[in-house]
Amino acid sequence: MSALFNFQSLLLVLLLLICTSAYAHYVFPGIMDRNRDGVFGIFWKCARIGERLSPYVSICCVAMAISMMASS
């Protein structure tokens, strides 16, 4: 089953995208800041979400981990 058709998997993919983009922006800020527009602008926007809403993102990651443990 694709992640697009399973809501929990879609949320997991979005959380991983946000966390990975925030980490990549921390490690390579010049590359991320150059690509604010276009297709790669999605990663820049996800990095901003991860940086500004980090307490909420971390709570969502813990909640997803608990729900994944409970479902398996």
Side-chain angles (χ1 to χ4, degrees):
M1 183 180 250
S2 175
L4 296 175
F5 300 118
N6 188 352
F7 186 68
Q8 186 175 8
S9 296
L10 179 64
L11 287 177
L12 181 65
V13 168
L14 286 174
L15 278 173
L16 287 173
L17 179 66
I18 289 170
C19 293
T20 304
S21 297
Y23 178 74
H25 187 262
Y26 175 74
V27 174
F28 305 112
I31 294 172
M32 296 289 280
D33 288 337
R34 267 186 301 205
N35 297 317
R36 290 184 181 180
D37 299 324
V39 177
F40 293 112
I42 295 170
F43 299 113
W44 182 79
K45 291 173 187 169
C46 287
R48 286 290 170 217
I49 291 170
E51 290 170 355
R52 293 182 181 173
L53 299 176
S54 61
Y56 299 112
V57 171
S58 63
I59 290 169
C60 289
C61 286
V62 169
M64 287 297 291
I66 291 170
S67 71
M68 289 294 208
M69 286 179 13
S71 67
S72 51

Short mmCIF file of all heavy atoms in Angstrom, two decimals:
data_model
loop_
_atom_site.label_atom_id
_atom_site.label_comp_id
_atom_site.label_asym_id
_atom_site.label_seq_id
_atom_site.Cartn_x
_atom_site.Cartn_y
_atom_site.Cartn_z
N MET A 1 0.83 -1.16 0.00
CA MET A 1 0.00 0.00 0.00
C MET A 1 0.89 1.24 0.00
O MET A 1 1.87 1.32 0.71
CB MET A 1 -0.91 -0.03 1.22
CG MET A 1 -1.87 1.12 1.27
SD MET A 1 -2.90 1.02 2.74
CE MET A 1 -4.43 0.62 1.98
N SER A 2 0.54 2.21 -0.79
CA SER A 2 1.32 3.43 -0.92
C SER A 2 1.08 4.35 0.28
O SER A 2 0.04 4.31 0.93
CB SER A 2 0.92 4.15 -2.21
OG SER A 2 1.58 5.38 -2.30
N ALA A 3 2.05 5.20 0.54
CA ALA A 3 1.92 6.14 1.65
C ALA A 3 0.87 7.20 1.37
O ALA A 3 0.37 7.84 2.28
CB ALA A 3 3.26 6.81 1.93
N LEU A 4 0.50 7.38 0.11
CA LEU A 4 -0.52 8.36 -0.22
C LEU A 4 -1.91 7.90 0.18
O LEU A 4 -2.80 8.71 0.38
CB LEU A 4 -0.49 8.65 -1.72
CG LEU A 4 0.79 9.30 -2.24
CD1 LEU A 4 0.73 9.43 -3.74
CD2 LEU A 4 1.00 10.65 -1.60
N PHE A 5 -2.13 6.60 0.27
CA PHE A 5 -3.44 6.08 0.57
C PHE A 5 -3.62 5.71 2.04
O PHE A 5 -4.72 5.44 2.48
CB PHE A 5 -3.73 4.86 -0.30
CG PHE A 5 -3.69 5.18 -1.77
CD1 PHE A 5 -2.78 4.57 -2.59
CD2 PHE A 5 -4.55 6.10 -2.30
CE1 PHE A 5 -2.72 4.87 -3.94
CE2 PHE A 5 -4.52 6.42 -3.65
CZ PHE A 5 -3.61 5.79 -4.47
N ASN A 6 -2.55 5.70 2.79
CA ASN A 6 -2.61 5.39 4.21
C ASN A 6 -2.26 6.68 4.97
O ASN A 6 -1.15 7.20 4.87
CB ASN A 6 -1.62 4.28 4.55
CG ASN A 6 -1.76 3.79 5.95
OD1 ASN A 6 -2.50 4.37 6.75
ND2 ASN A 6 -1.04 2.73 6.27
N PHE A 7 -3.22 7.20 5.72
CA PHE A 7 -3.05 8.50 6.37
C PHE A 7 -1.90 8.50 7.37
O PHE A 7 -1.12 9.45 7.44
CB PHE A 7 -4.35 8.92 7.05
CG PHE A 7 -4.30 10.30 7.62
CD1 PHE A 7 -4.23 11.40 6.78
CD2 PHE A 7 -4.31 10.50 8.98
CE1 PHE A 7 -4.18 12.69 7.30
CE2 PHE A 7 -4.27 11.77 9.51
CZ PHE A 7 -4.20 12.87 8.67
N GLN A 8 -1.75 7.43 8.14
CA GLN A 8 -0.68 7.36 9.12
C GLN A 8 0.68 7.34 8.44
O GLN A 8 1.62 8.00 8.90
CB GLN A 8 -0.85 6.12 9.99
CG GLN A 8 0.12 6.06 11.13
CD GLN A 8 -0.16 4.88 12.05
OE1 GLN A 8 -1.00 4.04 11.75
NE2 GLN A 8 0.55 4.82 13.16
N SER A 9 0.80 6.64 7.33
CA SER A 9 2.07 6.60 6.61
C SER A 9 2.37 7.94 5.96
O SER A 9 3.53 8.37 5.91
CB SER A 9 2.04 5.52 5.54
OG SER A 9 1.91 4.26 6.13
N LEU A 10 1.34 8.63 5.50
CA LEU A 10 1.53 9.96 4.92
C LEU A 10 2.04 10.94 5.97
O LEU A 10 2.96 11.73 5.72
CB LEU A 10 0.22 10.47 4.31
CG LEU A 10 0.25 11.86 3.70
CD1 LEU A 10 1.19 11.88 2.50
CD2 LEU A 10 -1.13 12.29 3.31
N LEU A 11 1.47 10.89 7.17
CA LEU A 11 1.95 11.74 8.25
C LEU A 11 3.39 11.42 8.63
O LEU A 11 4.19 12.31 8.92
CB LEU A 11 1.05 11.61 9.48
CG LEU A 11 -0.31 12.26 9.39
CD1 LEU A 11 -1.09 11.98 10.66
CD2 LEU A 11 -0.19 13.74 9.16
N LEU A 12 3.73 10.14 8.62
CA LEU A 12 5.09 9.73 8.94
C LEU A 12 6.07 10.26 7.90
O LEU A 12 7.14 10.77 8.26
CB LEU A 12 5.18 8.21 9.03
CG LEU A 12 6.54 7.64 9.38
CD1 LEU A 12 6.93 8.05 10.79
CD2 LEU A 12 6.52 6.13 9.25
N VAL A 13 5.70 10.18 6.64
CA VAL A 13 6.57 10.69 5.57
C VAL A 13 6.74 12.20 5.70
O VAL A 13 7.85 12.73 5.55
CB VAL A 13 6.01 10.30 4.18
CG1 VAL A 13 6.70 11.04 3.07
CG2 VAL A 13 6.12 8.80 3.97
N LEU A 14 5.67 12.92 6.02
CA LEU A 14 5.78 14.37 6.19
C LEU A 14 6.65 14.73 7.39
O LEU A 14 7.47 15.66 7.31
CB LEU A 14 4.39 14.98 6.36
CG LEU A 14 3.55 15.06 5.10
CD1 LEU A 14 2.15 15.55 5.42
CD2 LEU A 14 4.20 15.93 4.07
N LEU A 15 6.52 14.01 8.49
CA LEU A 15 7.37 14.28 9.65
C LEU A 15 8.83 13.99 9.34
O LEU A 15 9.72 14.76 9.74
CB LEU A 15 6.92 13.44 10.84
CG LEU A 15 5.75 13.98 11.64
CD1 LEU A 15 5.31 12.97 12.68
CD2 LEU A 15 6.11 15.28 12.30
N LEU A 16 9.09 12.90 8.64
CA LEU A 16 10.48 12.59 8.28
C LEU A 16 11.04 13.64 7.32
O LEU A 16 12.21 14.00 7.41
CB LEU A 16 10.56 11.20 7.66
CG LEU A 16 10.40 10.04 8.64
CD1 LEU A 16 10.32 8.72 7.87
CD2 LEU A 16 11.53 10.02 9.63
N LEU A 17 10.22 14.14 6.40
CA LEU A 17 10.67 15.18 5.48
C LEU A 17 11.00 16.46 6.24
O LEU A 17 12.03 17.10 5.98
CB LEU A 17 9.60 15.45 4.42
CG LEU A 17 9.90 16.53 3.39
CD1 LEU A 17 11.06 16.09 2.51
CD2 LEU A 17 8.68 16.83 2.58
N ILE A 18 10.17 16.83 7.19
CA ILE A 18 10.42 18.04 7.98
C ILE A 18 11.68 17.89 8.82
O ILE A 18 12.54 18.79 8.84
CB ILE A 18 9.20 18.36 8.87
CG1 ILE A 18 8.03 18.84 8.00
CG2 ILE A 18 9.53 19.39 9.92
CD1 ILE A 18 6.72 18.95 8.74
N CYS A 19 11.83 16.77 9.49
CA CYS A 19 13.02 16.56 10.35
C CYS A 19 14.30 16.48 9.53
O CYS A 19 15.32 17.05 9.91
CB CYS A 19 12.84 15.29 11.17
SG CYS A 19 11.53 15.40 12.38
N THR A 20 14.25 15.79 8.39
CA THR A 20 15.44 15.66 7.54
C THR A 20 15.82 17.01 6.94
O THR A 20 17.00 17.35 6.87
CB THR A 20 15.19 14.63 6.43
OG1 THR A 20 14.80 13.40 7.04
CG2 THR A 20 16.42 14.43 5.58
N SER A 21 14.83 17.78 6.51
CA SER A 21 15.12 19.10 5.93
C SER A 21 15.71 20.04 6.98
O SER A 21 16.62 20.82 6.67
CB SER A 21 13.85 19.69 5.34
OG SER A 21 13.38 18.91 4.28
N ALA A 22 15.19 20.00 8.20
CA ALA A 22 15.72 20.86 9.25
C ALA A 22 17.17 20.49 9.58
O ALA A 22 18.02 21.37 9.78
CB ALA A 22 14.86 20.76 10.50
N TYR A 23 17.46 19.20 9.60
CA TYR A 23 18.84 18.77 9.87
C TYR A 23 19.77 19.16 8.71
O TYR A 23 20.88 19.63 8.93
CB TYR A 23 18.90 17.26 10.10
CG TYR A 23 20.29 16.76 10.34
CD1 TYR A 23 20.93 17.01 11.54
CD2 TYR A 23 20.99 16.07 9.35
CE1 TYR A 23 22.23 16.57 11.77
CE2 TYR A 23 22.28 15.62 9.56
CZ TYR A 23 22.89 15.88 10.77
OH TYR A 23 24.17 15.46 10.98
N ALA A 24 19.29 18.97 7.48
CA ALA A 24 20.11 19.33 6.32
C ALA A 24 20.36 20.84 6.29
O ALA A 24 21.45 21.28 5.91
CB ALA A 24 19.44 18.88 5.03
N HIS A 25 19.39 21.64 6.70
CA HIS A 25 19.60 23.09 6.74
C HIS A 25 20.60 23.46 7.82
O HIS A 25 21.36 24.40 7.67
CB HIS A 25 18.27 23.81 6.97
CG HIS A 25 18.39 25.29 6.86
ND1 HIS A 25 18.51 26.08 7.97
CD2 HIS A 25 18.42 26.11 5.79
CE1 HIS A 25 18.60 27.34 7.58
NE2 HIS A 25 18.56 27.38 6.26
N TYR A 26 20.61 22.73 8.91
CA TYR A 26 21.58 22.97 9.98
C TYR A 26 23.00 22.64 9.51
O TYR A 26 23.94 23.37 9.82
CB TYR A 26 21.21 22.14 11.20
CG TYR A 26 22.21 22.23 12.33
CD1 TYR A 26 22.30 23.38 13.11
CD2 TYR A 26 23.08 21.18 12.61
CE1 TYR A 26 23.21 23.47 14.14
CE2 TYR A 26 23.99 21.26 13.63
CZ TYR A 26 24.06 22.42 14.40
OH TYR A 26 24.98 22.50 15.41
N VAL A 27 23.15 21.56 8.74
CA VAL A 27 24.47 21.13 8.29
C VAL A 27 24.94 21.93 7.08
O VAL A 27 26.10 22.35 7.01
CB VAL A 27 24.45 19.62 7.98
CG1 VAL A 27 25.76 19.17 7.39
CG2 VAL A 27 24.15 18.83 9.23
N PHE A 28 24.04 22.16 6.11
CA PHE A 28 24.38 22.86 4.86
C PHE A 28 23.47 24.07 4.67
O PHE A 28 22.59 24.05 3.79
CB PHE A 28 24.22 21.93 3.66
CG PHE A 28 25.00 20.65 3.76
CD1 PHE A 28 24.35 19.45 3.90
CD2 PHE A 28 26.38 20.65 3.69
CE1 PHE A 28 25.04 18.26 3.98
CE2 PHE A 28 27.08 19.47 3.78
CZ PHE A 28 26.42 18.27 3.93
N PRO A 29 23.64 25.14 5.43
CA PRO A 29 22.70 26.26 5.31
C PRO A 29 22.80 26.99 3.97
O PRO A 29 21.79 27.49 3.47
CB PRO A 29 23.10 27.18 6.47
CG PRO A 29 24.49 26.82 6.79
CD PRO A 29 24.64 25.37 6.45
N GLY A 30 23.98 27.04 3.37
CA GLY A 30 24.13 27.76 2.11
C GLY A 30 23.37 27.12 0.97
O GLY A 30 22.76 27.81 0.14
N ILE A 31 23.40 25.81 0.91
CA ILE A 31 22.70 25.09 -0.16
C ILE A 31 21.20 25.26 -0.02
O ILE A 31 20.49 25.48 -1.01
CB ILE A 31 23.10 23.60 -0.14
CG1 ILE A 31 24.58 23.46 -0.49
CG2 ILE A 31 22.24 22.80 -1.10
CD1 ILE A 31 25.10 22.06 -0.31
N MET A 32 20.70 25.17 1.20
CA MET A 32 19.26 25.28 1.40
C MET A 32 18.77 26.70 1.14
O MET A 32 17.69 26.89 0.60
CB MET A 32 18.89 24.86 2.82
CG MET A 32 19.17 23.42 3.15
SD MET A 32 18.08 22.28 2.33
CE MET A 32 16.66 22.39 3.37
N ASP A 33 19.54 27.71 1.53
CA ASP A 33 19.10 29.09 1.36
C ASP A 33 19.15 29.54 -0.10
O ASP A 33 18.41 30.43 -0.49
CB ASP A 33 19.94 30.02 2.22
CG ASP A 33 19.62 29.87 3.70
OD1 ASP A 33 18.50 29.40 4.01
OD2 ASP A 33 20.47 30.20 4.53
N ARG A 34 20.01 28.92 -0.90
CA ARG A 34 20.07 29.26 -2.32
C ARG A 34 18.85 28.77 -3.07
O ARG A 34 18.46 29.35 -4.07
CB ARG A 34 21.31 28.64 -2.97
CG ARG A 34 22.50 29.54 -3.01
CD ARG A 34 23.56 28.87 -3.80
NE ARG A 34 23.86 27.58 -3.12
CZ ARG A 34 24.99 26.94 -3.21
NH1 ARG A 34 25.94 27.40 -3.96
NH2 ARG A 34 25.19 25.82 -2.56
N ASN A 35 18.28 27.67 -2.63
CA ASN A 35 17.18 27.03 -3.35
C ASN A 35 15.85 27.28 -2.67
O ASN A 35 15.14 26.35 -2.31
CB ASN A 35 17.45 25.51 -3.45
CG ASN A 35 18.68 25.22 -4.24
OD1 ASN A 35 18.92 25.82 -5.27
ND2 ASN A 35 19.49 24.30 -3.75
N ARG A 36 15.47 28.54 -2.52
CA ARG A 36 14.20 28.87 -1.88
C ARG A 36 13.03 28.74 -2.84
O ARG A 36 11.90 28.57 -2.41
CB ARG A 36 14.23 30.28 -1.33
CG ARG A 36 15.13 30.43 -0.15
CD ARG A 36 15.05 31.82 0.40
NE ARG A 36 15.95 31.95 1.53
CZ ARG A 36 16.10 33.05 2.21
NH1 ARG A 36 15.41 34.12 1.89
NH2 ARG A 36 16.93 33.09 3.21
N ASP A 37 13.29 28.85 -4.12
CA ASP A 37 12.23 28.80 -5.13
C ASP A 37 12.31 27.49 -5.90
O ASP A 37 13.32 26.80 -5.89
CB ASP A 37 12.36 29.98 -6.10
CG ASP A 37 12.23 31.32 -5.38
OD1 ASP A 37 11.43 31.38 -4.43
OD2 ASP A 37 12.93 32.26 -5.78
N GLY A 38 11.23 27.17 -6.57
CA GLY A 38 11.21 25.98 -7.40
C GLY A 38 10.90 24.72 -6.61
O GLY A 38 10.34 24.76 -5.52
N VAL A 39 11.31 23.61 -7.18
CA VAL A 39 11.02 22.31 -6.57
C VAL A 39 11.77 22.15 -5.25
O VAL A 39 11.23 21.63 -4.28
CB VAL A 39 11.39 21.18 -7.55
CG1 VAL A 39 11.18 19.83 -6.91
CG2 VAL A 39 10.59 21.30 -8.83
N PHE A 40 13.01 22.60 -5.20
CA PHE A 40 13.80 22.45 -3.98
C PHE A 40 13.36 23.42 -2.89
O PHE A 40 13.82 23.32 -1.75
CB PHE A 40 15.29 22.63 -4.28
CG PHE A 40 15.83 21.53 -5.14
CD1 PHE A 40 16.23 21.78 -6.44
CD2 PHE A 40 15.91 20.24 -4.66
CE1 PHE A 40 16.72 20.77 -7.24
CE2 PHE A 40 16.40 19.22 -5.45
CZ PHE A 40 16.81 19.48 -6.74
N GLY A 41 12.49 24.36 -3.22
CA GLY A 41 11.94 25.26 -2.22
C GLY A 41 11.08 24.53 -1.20
O GLY A 41 10.89 25.02 -0.08
N ILE A 42 10.57 23.37 -1.57
CA ILE A 42 9.78 22.55 -0.63
C ILE A 42 10.64 22.16 0.56
O ILE A 42 10.19 22.20 1.71
CB ILE A 42 9.22 21.31 -1.35
CG1 ILE A 42 8.22 21.75 -2.42
CG2 ILE A 42 8.59 20.35 -0.36
CD1 ILE A 42 7.79 20.63 -3.33
N PHE A 43 11.90 21.79 0.30
CA PHE A 43 12.79 21.40 1.39
C PHE A 43 13.12 22.59 2.28
O PHE A 43 13.23 22.45 3.50
CB PHE A 43 14.06 20.77 0.82
CG PHE A 43 13.80 19.53 0.02
CD1 PHE A 43 14.03 19.52 -1.34
CD2 PHE A 43 13.32 18.39 0.63
CE1 PHE A 43 13.79 18.39 -2.08
CE2 PHE A 43 13.06 17.25 -0.10
CZ PHE A 43 13.30 17.25 -1.46
N TRP A 44 13.27 23.78 1.68
CA TRP A 44 13.54 24.98 2.46
C TRP A 44 12.35 25.30 3.36
O TRP A 44 12.51 25.64 4.54
CB TRP A 44 13.84 26.15 1.53
CG TRP A 44 14.17 27.41 2.27
CD1 TRP A 44 15.36 27.73 2.84
CD2 TRP A 44 13.28 28.49 2.53
NE1 TRP A 44 15.26 28.97 3.45
CE2 TRP A 44 14.00 29.45 3.26
CE3 TRP A 44 11.96 28.75 2.20
CZ2 TRP A 44 13.43 30.65 3.67
CZ3 TRP A 44 11.40 29.94 2.62
CH2 TRP A 44 12.13 30.87 3.35
N LYS A 45 11.13 25.16 2.81
CA LYS A 45 9.93 25.43 3.60
C LYS A 45 9.78 24.41 4.73
O LYS A 45 9.38 24.76 5.84
CB LYS A 45 8.70 25.43 2.70
CG LYS A 45 8.67 26.61 1.77
CD LYS A 45 7.55 26.50 0.77
CE LYS A 45 7.69 27.63 -0.24
NZ LYS A 45 6.80 27.46 -1.37
N CYS A 46 10.07 23.16 4.44
CA CYS A 46 10.01 22.13 5.49
C CYS A 46 11.05 22.39 6.56
O CYS A 46 10.81 22.14 7.75
CB CYS A 46 10.19 20.74 4.87
SG CYS A 46 8.78 20.17 3.93
N ALA A 47 12.21 22.89 6.17
CA ALA A 47 13.25 23.22 7.14
C ALA A 47 12.79 24.36 8.05
O ALA A 47 13.05 24.34 9.26
CB ALA A 47 14.55 23.59 6.44
N ARG A 48 12.11 25.35 7.49
CA ARG A 48 11.58 26.46 8.29
C ARG A 48 10.53 25.96 9.28
O ARG A 48 10.50 26.39 10.42
CB ARG A 48 10.97 27.54 7.40
CG ARG A 48 11.97 28.34 6.68
CD ARG A 48 12.70 29.21 7.66
NE ARG A 48 13.82 29.81 6.98
CZ ARG A 48 14.99 30.00 7.52
NH1 ARG A 48 15.20 29.65 8.75
NH2 ARG A 48 15.97 30.54 6.86
N ILE A 49 9.67 25.07 8.82
CA ILE A 49 8.66 24.50 9.72
C ILE A 49 9.35 23.74 10.85
O ILE A 49 8.98 23.87 12.02
CB ILE A 49 7.71 23.57 8.94
CG1 ILE A 49 6.84 24.40 7.99
CG2 ILE A 49 6.84 22.76 9.89
CD1 ILE A 49 6.05 23.56 7.02
N GLY A 50 10.37 22.95 10.51
CA GLY A 50 11.09 22.19 11.52
C GLY A 50 11.83 23.05 12.52
O GLY A 50 11.94 22.70 13.69
N GLU A 51 12.33 24.19 12.07
CA GLU A 51 13.07 25.08 12.97
C GLU A 51 12.14 25.87 13.87
O GLU A 51 12.39 26.02 15.05
CB GLU A 51 13.94 26.03 12.17
CG GLU A 51 15.10 25.36 11.48
CD GLU A 51 15.80 26.28 10.50
OE1 GLU A 51 15.31 27.42 10.30
OE2 GLU A 51 16.81 25.86 9.94
N ARG A 52 11.07 26.38 13.30
CA ARG A 52 10.20 27.27 14.07
C ARG A 52 9.21 26.53 14.95
O ARG A 52 8.81 27.03 15.99
CB ARG A 52 9.45 28.19 13.12
CG ARG A 52 10.38 29.16 12.43
CD ARG A 52 9.66 30.09 11.54
NE ARG A 52 10.61 30.99 10.88
CZ ARG A 52 10.29 31.83 9.95
NH1 ARG A 52 9.04 31.90 9.52
NH2 ARG A 52 11.20 32.60 9.41
N LEU A 53 8.80 25.36 14.53
CA LEU A 53 7.82 24.59 15.30
C LEU A 53 8.44 23.32 15.88
O LEU A 53 7.76 22.30 16.01
CB LEU A 53 6.63 24.22 14.41
CG LEU A 53 5.84 25.38 13.81
CD1 LEU A 53 4.77 24.86 12.88
CD2 LEU A 53 5.21 26.21 14.91
N SER A 54 9.71 23.38 16.24
CA SER A 54 10.41 22.17 16.67
C SER A 54 9.80 21.48 17.89
O SER A 54 9.78 20.26 17.93
CB SER A 54 11.89 22.46 16.90
OG SER A 54 12.05 23.44 17.89
N PRO A 55 9.28 22.18 18.90
CA PRO A 55 8.66 21.44 20.01
C PRO A 55 7.43 20.64 19.56
O PRO A 55 7.24 19.50 19.97
CB PRO A 55 8.26 22.52 21.01
CG PRO A 55 9.07 23.70 20.67
CD PRO A 55 9.35 23.62 19.21
N TYR A 56 6.64 21.23 18.68
CA TYR A 56 5.44 20.54 18.20
C TYR A 56 5.81 19.38 17.27
O TYR A 56 5.16 18.34 17.30
CB TYR A 56 4.52 21.52 17.49
CG TYR A 56 4.04 22.63 18.38
CD1 TYR A 56 4.46 23.94 18.18
CD2 TYR A 56 3.20 22.37 19.46
CE1 TYR A 56 4.03 24.96 19.01
CE2 TYR A 56 2.77 23.38 20.30
CZ TYR A 56 3.18 24.68 20.07
OH TYR A 56 2.77 25.67 20.89
N VAL A 57 6.83 19.58 16.45
CA VAL A 57 7.28 18.50 15.56
C VAL A 57 7.82 17.35 16.38
O VAL A 57 7.55 16.17 16.08
CB VAL A 57 8.33 19.03 14.56
CG1 VAL A 57 8.96 17.91 13.78
CG2 VAL A 57 7.69 20.03 13.60
N SER A 58 8.57 17.64 17.44
CA SER A 58 9.12 16.55 18.27
C SER A 58 8.01 15.82 19.02
O SER A 58 8.06 14.59 19.17
CB SER A 58 10.16 17.09 19.24
OG SER A 58 9.57 18.00 20.14
N ILE A 59 6.98 16.53 19.46
CA ILE A 59 5.84 15.87 20.10
C ILE A 59 5.13 14.97 19.10
O ILE A 59 4.74 13.84 19.44
CB ILE A 59 4.88 16.91 20.71
CG1 ILE A 59 5.53 17.57 21.92
CG2 ILE A 59 3.55 16.29 21.08
CD1 ILE A 59 4.79 18.78 22.45
N CYS A 60 4.98 15.44 17.87
CA CYS A 60 4.35 14.61 16.83
C CYS A 60 5.20 13.38 16.52
O CYS A 60 4.65 12.29 16.29
CB CYS A 60 4.13 15.42 15.56
SG CYS A 60 2.84 16.65 15.72
N CYS A 61 6.52 13.52 16.53
CA CYS A 61 7.39 12.37 16.28
C CYS A 61 7.25 11.33 17.39
O CYS A 61 7.20 10.13 17.11
CB CYS A 61 8.85 12.82 16.17
SG CYS A 61 9.24 13.68 14.64
N VAL A 62 7.19 11.78 18.63
CA VAL A 62 7.02 10.85 19.74
C VAL A 62 5.65 10.18 19.66
O VAL A 62 5.54 8.95 19.87
CB VAL A 62 7.20 11.58 21.09
CG1 VAL A 62 6.78 10.73 22.26
CG2 VAL A 62 8.64 12.03 21.25
N ALA A 63 4.62 10.93 19.32
CA ALA A 63 3.28 10.36 19.20
C ALA A 63 3.23 9.34 18.07
O ALA A 63 2.59 8.28 18.21
CB ALA A 63 2.26 11.46 18.96
N MET A 64 3.90 9.61 16.96
CA MET A 64 3.92 8.66 15.86
C MET A 64 4.70 7.41 16.24
O MET A 64 4.33 6.30 15.86
CB MET A 64 4.53 9.28 14.60
CG MET A 64 3.64 10.29 13.92
SD MET A 64 2.12 9.59 13.29
CE MET A 64 2.71 8.58 11.99
N ALA A 65 5.76 7.56 17.01
CA ALA A 65 6.53 6.40 17.45
C ALA A 65 5.71 5.52 18.37
O ALA A 65 5.71 4.29 18.25
CB ALA A 65 7.82 6.85 18.14
N ILE A 66 4.97 6.14 19.26
CA ILE A 66 4.12 5.38 20.17
C ILE A 66 3.01 4.67 19.40
O ILE A 66 2.71 3.50 19.65
CB ILE A 66 3.56 6.28 21.28
CG1 ILE A 66 4.68 6.71 22.21
CG2 ILE A 66 2.44 5.59 22.06
CD1 ILE A 66 4.30 7.78 23.19
N SER A 67 2.41 5.36 18.44
CA SER A 67 1.34 4.74 17.67
C SER A 67 1.86 3.62 16.77
O SER A 67 1.16 2.63 16.54
CB SER A 67 0.59 5.78 16.85
OG SER A 67 1.39 6.25 15.79
N MET A 68 3.09 3.76 16.28
CA MET A 68 3.68 2.68 15.47
C MET A 68 3.99 1.47 16.33
O MET A 68 3.83 0.34 15.89
CB MET A 68 4.96 3.17 14.78
CG MET A 68 4.70 4.13 13.67
SD MET A 68 3.84 3.33 12.35
CE MET A 68 4.39 4.28 11.00
N MET A 69 4.44 1.70 17.56
CA MET A 69 4.73 0.59 18.46
C MET A 69 3.44 -0.12 18.86
O MET A 69 3.40 -1.34 18.98
CB MET A 69 5.46 1.07 19.70
CG MET A 69 6.90 1.42 19.44
SD MET A 69 7.86 2.03 20.84
CE MET A 69 6.92 1.69 22.27
N ALA A 70 2.38 0.65 19.02
CA ALA A 70 1.11 0.06 19.43
C ALA A 70 0.46 -0.73 18.29
O ALA A 70 -0.22 -1.72 18.52
CB ALA A 70 0.16 1.15 19.91
N SER A 71 0.70 -0.30 17.05
CA SER A 71 0.06 -0.97 15.92
C SER A 71 0.81 -2.23 15.48
O SER A 71 0.26 -3.07 14.79
CB SER A 71 -0.07 -0.01 14.74
OG SER A 71 1.20 0.31 14.22
N SER A 72 2.07 -2.38 15.87
CA SER A 72 2.81 -3.57 15.45
C SER A 72 2.89 -4.63 16.50
O SER A 72 2.18 -4.93 17.29
CB SER A 72 4.23 -3.23 15.04
OG SER A 72 4.90 -2.47 15.99
#
